[in-house]
Amino acid sequence: MIYIVPTPIGNLEDITLRALRLLKESDLILAEDTRVSRVLIQHHGITTPMQSFHMHNEHAKVGQIIDKLKEGQTLALISDAGTPGIADPGFLLVREALEQGIEVQCLPGPTALIPALVQSGIPSDRFVFEGFLPPKKGRQSRLFSLAEEERTLVFYESPHRIQKTLIQMVPLFGAHRKTAVVRELTKKFETTFRGTLEEAIPYFEAHSPKGEFVLVVEGKKK
Ligand code: SAM
């Protein structure tokens, strides 16, 4: 059995009792960055051994992990923050485990997109999660393909690209589309900008973007 275990996106209290129990009871924790996860693991007094599993070694390691699972070991996969497989490694292992007849369970828990969407004030009944836009090649065409989308759009974005993204969206999506730019969820300097795309641009000229961001954009009006 492999458990996919969501971990906090900032506030160390945001972890479920079941997640803590499974991390304690597992034979091995696979962590995206063992140095990052050690803070959480030690904070909660967990002594389970950890091994790294990240985008640079997942292809090489997946076979060895499947062998451990076939031997009957219970493994837990965690990422640096939030839910593994959501803009983080995880999918490859889930797919391979299922193909090999191994049971996979993902626990419910922290992920940045859901609180950002819900507190945005933009309709949350139907939405599209786009993750990170391609940094260069394919970026403009991805935005173009989303311009007619009627469901709410949710993006992850880095602080040094947020302003560029807002500027690129205006001609394609329209200056008056509602947006919410949610920064540093669950952390000390959490803030949410709510307004239109054209209002967001001067706001981020005045408030230099720092930290982690989720960008929520209203879908096209029918
Ligand atoms: N697996 C994570 C999840 O479930 O949300 C996402 C990991 S991805 C590598 C990191 C991106 O998620 C950040 O660049 C940002 O867009 C978003 N993110 C993660 N934590 C956040 C936070 N506390 N506040 C705002 N955005 C966050």
Side-chain angles (χ1 to χ4, degrees), residues 22-35:
L22 288 172
L23 290 175
K24 276 187 192 139
E25 290 175 1
S26 292
D27 296 302
L28 178 68
I29 298 172
L30 301 169
E32 188 181 4
D33 184 334
T34 52
R35 287 162 307 175

Side-chain angles (χ1 to χ4, degrees), residues 2 4 53-55 58 62 77 79 83-96 104:
I2 179 144
I4 312 301
F53 183 78
H54 46 68
M55 62 188 280
E58 60 179 343
V62 78
L77 175 69
S79 63
T83 302
I86 299 297
D88 266 340
F91 170 69
L92 191 84
L93 180 55
V94 169
R95 184 179 59 185
E96 190 59 25
V104 178

Side-chain angles (χ1 to χ4, degrees), residues 113 116-118 120-123 152-155 178-182 193 195 197 214-218:
L113 72 117
L117 170 69
V118 174
S120 71
I122 297 171
T152 298
L153 298 159
V154 184
F155 301 89
K178 280 190 195 151
T179 188
V181 187
V182 186
F193 168 87
L197 285 173
V214 183
L215 175 60
V216 184
V217 183
E218 181 184 29

Side-chain angles (χ1 to χ4, degrees), residues 6-11 32 79-89 109-116 129 131-132 155-159 182-187 190-191 211-215:
T7 56
I9 56 167
N11 188 324
E32 188 181 4
S79 63
D80 289 355
T83 302
I86 299 297
D88 266 340
T111 188
L113 72 117
I114 298 296
F129 174 59
F132 290 100
F155 301 89
Y156 284 170
E157 195 48 285
S158 71
V182 186
R183 169 180 173 245
E184 295 283 87
L185 277 158
T186 78
K187 301 186 204 175
E190 174 169 349
T191 48
E212 297 194 281
F213 288 86
V214 183
L215 175 60

